[in-house]
Amino acid sequence: MARLVYGVGSLLVILSFSFFVFYSVRAFNITPERSSASYVEPDYHFVLVTEEMDNDYWRLVEEGARKAAEEYNVALEYTGPKQANLAEHIKTIEMAAAARVDGIMAQGLNQDVSPALINRVVEKGIPFLTVDTDAPNSKRFAYIGTDNYYAGFLAGQALLKDTEGDVNVGIITGRFDSANQKLRVEGFKDAIQDDERVKVVAIDASQITRIQAAEKTYEMIKEHPEVNAFYGTSALDAIGIVQVLESIGMTDRVYVIGFDVLPETIKLIEEGKLEATVVQKPYEMGFEAVKLMVELKEGKEVSTYHHTLTEVIHLEDINRINDTTPGGIRLP
Ligand code: BGC
């Protein structure tokens, strides 16, 4: 009897594993269709796993990656959870690895889980690059993205410079468990720590959605009416913060600094509703990641850190956007 149970159990494990591999291969479509006469077989098949598929920031990373994929004859799969979700993010990476794609690019999203996951992928012989968020304690080959601690530090310095008198800061961060968000908060706190006039009085997470950024801002203002400055650490946070401030007529009295330069961010700066934002280079991250992955596949040596430029911009800098001369801010 025990043998029978053991046998059936083993069969089930084998079957479910085979299904996982079968669906992973199907999901990543690694056998190309050869229907068109002009079809050129790609040299490599890479997967870019995002934190959230339809997020405007990630669409810019995708744009850059697609441009490089075109230049280097790579088939690129852009995929990830519809809404930010760590378990789904991890499963997508595992499926890409099971499908034995030629390279995976993704965030080292979670300090506890990502290193082991990345190591498993690399040990299977699949190169892994971290994009946007690093996992320095993993076997990833390189990191392409913002120095997140430094970016947070810059935000703190900007707030010190832009404000006078007592400042009570409310922080809306993307997710408490994301490594890049933690670093942005840490850098910010370190920058303001020696100035007695500036204090962080509350922090909450938006799950990187604009709606929750707005909800959390609203609750924070109710609980902490003394808040007179906000710091939003992921791309849609400042947009959600300003939405609430506008609805209660407080944009003039509250200082807001956010992250990223999406079209809506620029509009809010131009309207004077958002004082400053930290520039990241998502397009460049996507482009560089694909380019580096090709170099790795070709056996070239690549250096570990590829920090993309970051700086804080204000209203007076908006005319530098898309200025291609030195000192200009090229976007995407
Ligand atoms: C961060 C990404 C995050 C995005 C969410 C960006 O600022 O760099 O990690 O997924 O915001 O909107």
Side-chain angles (χ1 to χ4, degrees):
M1 185 62 189
R3 266 195 182 175
L4 185 68
V5 172
Y6 182 73
V8 171
S10 313
L11 194 68
L12 282 178
V13 169
I14 293 168
L15 267 177
S16 62
F17 180 70
S18 312
F19 272 121
F20 179 71
V21 174
F22 174 75
Y23 283 108
S24 302
V25 170
R26 270 216 352 199
F28 289 97
N29 187 27
I30 49 180
T31 341
E33 283 172 31
R34 284 151 213 265
S35 49
S36 135
S38 61
Y39 176 79
V40 181
E41 181 143 358
D43 293 334
Y44 305 110
H45 186 117
F46 297 159
V47 176
L48 169 63
V49 181
T50 72
E51 183 164 4
E52 184 171 80
M53 287 277 281
D54 257 333
N55 183 294
D56 289 346
Y57 171 88
W58 282 101
R59 288 291 179 194
L60 291 173
V61 181
E62 180 194 11
E63 232 182 88
R66 290 224 180 275
K67 180 82 181 106
E70 206 183 295
E71 277 181 30
Y72 294 96
N73 192 32
V74 166
L76 179 82
E77 201 92 37
Y78 169 84
T79 182
K82 283 212 161 46
Q83 278 179 344
N85 176 316
L86 184 62
E88 235 183 274
H89 179 85
I90 292 166
K91 193 166 162 226
T92 313
I93 294 174
E94 274 169 349
M95 282 175 76
R100 298 216 160 263
V101 296
D102 299 315
I104 301 176
M105 298 160 284
Q107 292 153 291
L109 200 50
N110 182 288
Q111 278 162 320
D112 299 326
V113 184
S114 299
L117 168 70
I118 294 172
N119 292 353
R120 280 202 300 279
V121 173
V122 174
E123 277 151 19
K124 273 189 169 173
I126 302 170
F128 197 110
L129 296 178
T130 45
V131 181
D132 172 85
T133 309
D134 195 15
N137 299 326
S138 72
K139 294 183 177 162
R140 50 87 174 112
F141 284 83
Y143 168 60
I144 307 100
T146 304
D147 178 336
N148 285 296
Y149 175 85
Y150 175 67
F153 197 87
L154 287 184
Q157 282 184 322
L159 179 135
L160 287 179
K161 209 162 147 235
D162 296 345
T163 59
E164 282 171 357
D166 287 345
V167 182
N168 296 311
V169 187
I171 300 181
I172 302 291
T173 189
R175 291 159 72 182
F176 285 128
D177 61 357
S178 293
N180 64 342
Q181 302 295 303
K182 283 189 183 171
L183 287 168
R184 291 175 192 181
V185 172
E186 210 178 295
F188 179 87
K189 285 186 172 166
D190 285 353
I192 60 164
Q193 72 173 353
D194 291 334
D195 199 325
E196 298 234 311
R197 107 193 140 73
V198 181
K199 283 185 198 67
V200 172
V201 295
I203 177 161
D204 215 333
S206 65
Q207 307 311 323
I208 72 168
T209 71
R210 173 202 177 123
I211 295 177
Q212 288 201 50
E215 280 170 12
K216 298 295 160 69
T217 303
Y218 186 69
E219 283 163 20
M220 211 176 265
I221 293 173
K222 269 202 317 200
E223 267 177 50
H224 299 274
E226 73 277 20
V227 168
N228 56 359
F230 276 99
Y231 169 41
T233 71
S234 75
L236 306 179
D237 295 339
I239 299 172
I241 294 168
V242 170
Q243 190 184 327
V244 172
L245 295 176
E246 252 192 307
S247 72
I248 53 176
M250 276 177 62
T251 43
D252 288 348
R253 276 180 285 150
V254 179
Y255 174 90
V256 186
I257 179 162
F259 251 84
D260 294 300
V261 190
L262 301 176
E264 199 161 354
T265 325
I266 300 179
K267 190 169 149 264
L268 295 179
I269 293 183
E270 280 171 344
E271 291 170 357
K273 294 169 186 160
L274 176 63
E275 276 67 29
T277 194
V278 182
V279 176
Q280 292 201 91
K281 304 280 179 156
Y283 179 94
E284 210 172 298
M285 289 179 208
F287 189 95
E288 282 297 306
V290 170
K291 185 172 159 234
L292 275 182
M293 190 67 96
V294 170
E295 288 178 8
L296 270 179
K297 300 298 291 186
E298 287 172 352
K300 293 194 184 134
E301 285 246 336
V302 304
S303 50
T304 313
Y305 289 100
H306 298 259
H307 282 145
T308 43
L309 283 181
T310 178
E311 63 174 313
V312 175
I313 59 164
H314 298 81
L315 179 61
E316 61 269 25
D317 303 302
I318 291 290
N319 57 5
R320 281 170 47 222
I321 289 179
N322 288 335
D323 174 354
T324 48
T325 57
I329 306 164
R330 272 189 303 122
L331 295 173

